[in-house]
Amino acid sequence: MADAQTLPSLDDERELTSEQVDHYRRKGHVLLRNVASSLEIEAFEPLISEEVRRRNNQDKPLEERDTYGKAFIQIGNLWQSSPQVARFTLARRFAKIAADLMGVDGVRIYHDQALYKEPGGGHTPWHQDQIYWPLDTDKTITMWMPLVPVSEEIGSMTFASESHLLGYISKMVISDESHRTLGEFVKGRGMEEVNYGALAAGDATFHAGWTLHSAPGNPTDRMRKVMTVIYIADGLRIAEPDSNARRNDLKGWFPGLNPGDLAASPLNPLVYSSK
């Protein structure tokens, strides 16, 4: 296995165009090409996939799982269990992009997640990520990066443009009900639905925590391997949890902290600061 110090550093800085930043802030999502190179992905994909294999405890066949279970294999905080993956998750390059898109001076990690959609895996229902997070802010963002080419047949996630401007729309967790109700909401409001289609490994979408999104199933015979990193603005404070989902996230991702505390536990390192 590669030593962490011999892996690509990913700590250079990429400059965004004003058009890319403006698109993200208006639409709540943006696609950026070649955020990581093919050589960088070749170095990190086997390490991330091995960590997913090692930590995955899903043993039910697809047909016996609920909608959420069919959507993907989900493994979080890989950076904590693998120094090699930490080099990817904590990369300054990715973090600066997140900070620049949000227009903040610094960002911390909320957590990372590998989302591997199995061959024949189901769709991901419409939802807002931030209903799970005990934060009252619009300064959160997720990087979603495929580690393998994603064909047009699968595509990226589907985003409801400008939905992030509405803030907290519903407390519904990812479920059949959220897909039906929020899907009707998107259609009823006449929102633009954007799927960026085929992506190369190392391309990445970035979307705001309040942006409504879903993802199609995987009709192919290949695993859709995606790594995500969630960033929050430095200096945020934890909000009073108003749901079980947020109470659980407070315990899991902000251990030892309470409402009103700075959102800065040891699990939330500062990964970029312009100061």
Side-chain angles (χ1 to χ4, degrees):
M1 183 175 290
D3 180 86
Q5 298 309 310
T6 65
L7 290 166
S9 73
L10 304 176
D11 282 340
D12 59 317
E13 297 186 1
R14 300 283 179 87
E15 295 302 321
L16 302 178
T17 66
S18 58
E19 289 80 12
Q20 289 169 329
V21 174
D22 179 65
H23 186 279
Y24 170 79
R25 295 182 187 174
R26 285 188 299 107
K27 300 290 190 178
H29 55 85
V30 68
L31 167 63
L32 303 178
R33 299 286 187 185
N34 198 36
V35 175
S37 71
S38 58
L39 289 177
E40 289 165 342
I41 293 297
E42 284 175 15
F44 283 101
E45 182 275 320
L47 301 171
I48 295 170
S49 292
E50 171 58 24
E51 198 64 13
V52 170
R53 185 203 63 75
R54 188 179 71 81
R55 291 179 50 190
N56 178 34
N57 57 10
Q58 176 61 264
D59 55 5
K60 285 186 178 180
L62 269 172
E63 59 271 15
E64 294 180 16
R65 304 180 205 166
D66 61 12
T67 298
Y68 193 107
K70 290 175 182 175
F72 36 60
I73 296 169
Q74 181 179 28
I75 308 294
N77 262 16
L78 282 76
W79 75 274
Q80 280 279 287
S81 57
S82 167
Q84 291 83 8
V85 177
R87 200 168 176 91
F88 183 96
T89 297
L90 307 182
R92 181 180 175 86
R93 180 195 302 168
F94 305 155
K96 182 180 185 296
I97 291 172
D100 289 349
L101 289 173
M102 292 192 291
V104 300
D105 292 329
V107 294
R108 293 180 177 273
I109 295 293
Y110 185 43
H111 57 83
D112 66 21
Q113 283 187 326
L115 301 176
Y116 279 35
K117 194 177 288 283
E118 298 155 278
H123 71 285
T124 306
W126 282 105
H127 65 283
Q128 292 178 294
D129 292 337
Q130 204 166 316
I131 66 155
Y132 291 94
W133 308 342
L135 299 165
D136 184 15
T137 178
D138 62 355
K139 301 303 183 185
T140 64
I141 192 169
T142 296
M143 180 184 79
W144 188 95
M145 180 182 287
L147 305 175
V148 294
V150 175
S151 67
E152 191 81 30
E153 196 176 6
I154 304 174
S156 73
M157 291 184 290
T158 300
F159 302 102
S161 294
E162 302 182 21
S163 55
H164 67 304
L165 302 175
L166 302 176
Y168 207 148
I169 295 171
S170 168
K171 291 183 181 181
M172 283 186 291
V173 297
I174 299 174
S175 61
D176 292 330
E177 181 186 1
S178 76
H179 194 65
R180 180 177 60 255
T181 303
L182 294 175
E184 290 172 355
F185 178 84
V186 170
K187 293 287 192 297
R189 296 283 292 249
M191 291 180 171
E192 175 190 47
E193 297 179 40
V194 175
N195 185 302
Y196 289 109
L199 303 179
D203 291 344
T205 62
F206 288 77
H207 67 274
W210 289 128
T211 299
L212 278 167
H213 59 285
S214 63
N218 180 4
T220 75
D221 59 1
R222 299 175 300 280
M223 182 80 79
R224 190 214 69 183
K225 301 179 180 182
V226 168
M227 185 64 172
T228 68
V229 184
I230 302 164
Y231 302 91
I232 61 175
D234 184 33
L236 297 182
R237 292 192 179 272
I238 296 171
E240 185 70 46
D242 57 358
S243 67
N244 286 334
R246 287 185 160 186
R247 280 185 281 274
N248 290 336
D249 258 35
L250 174 55
K251 293 176 184 176
W253 308 123
F254 295 127
L257 301 184
N258 297 296
D261 290 343
L262 283 170
S265 83
L267 291 185
N268 317 114
L270 183 69
V271 283
Y272 172 77
S273 176
S274 63
K275 296 179 179 179

